[in-house]
Amino acid sequence: MQHAREVIELLGAYPGRDFRIKEILSYASRGRELSQRERHAMRISVSRALQALSEAGSVLIRPPRAARGGFAHYRWKAE
């Protein structure tokens, strides 16, 4: 998992705060311009890291409310 460190840094620094995937990707890319291929690879890597952290019980994933156009929220589980 290539971007797991960035995901843990961001979400762990703000436990209890909801993040959209766009915010997480922006943090992981560190403001760099990425090609479409790089963006896609990063999105997959971040999604896998979030899924693994969710299965471990560290991250809560709230699915999108609306069927279309909604977005999920990701939150570091506050103890």
Side-chain angles (χ1 to χ4, degrees):
M1 282 186 253
Q2 197 171 21
H3 295 91
R5 181 175 50 91
E6 288 89 352
V7 171
I8 293 169
E9 282 178 5
L10 178 62
L11 272 64
Y14 302 99
R17 179 181 181 264
D18 287 343
F19 288 92
R20 292 171 53 181
I21 192 71
K22 181 178 180 180
E23 295 170 311
I24 299 169
L25 291 172
S26 176
Y27 181 81
S29 70
R30 304 201 187 274
R32 294 176 296 143
E33 283 292 322
L34 303 175
S35 69
Q36 185 176 359
R37 184 179 183 144
E38 290 171 324
R39 241 185 350 261
H40 180 70
M42 181 179 287
R43 180 177 286 273
I44 290 172
S45 175
V46 167
S47 295
R48 287 180 181 162
L50 287 167
Q51 188 64 36
L53 289 167
S54 174
E55 290 171 2
S58 298
V59 172
L60 298 173
I61 299 176
R62 191 175 71 196
R65 291 184 198 167
R68 293 179 55 105
F71 44 85
H73 286 97
Y74 304 91
R75 175 187 295 198
W76 191 262
K77 197 173 189 179
E79 295 181 29

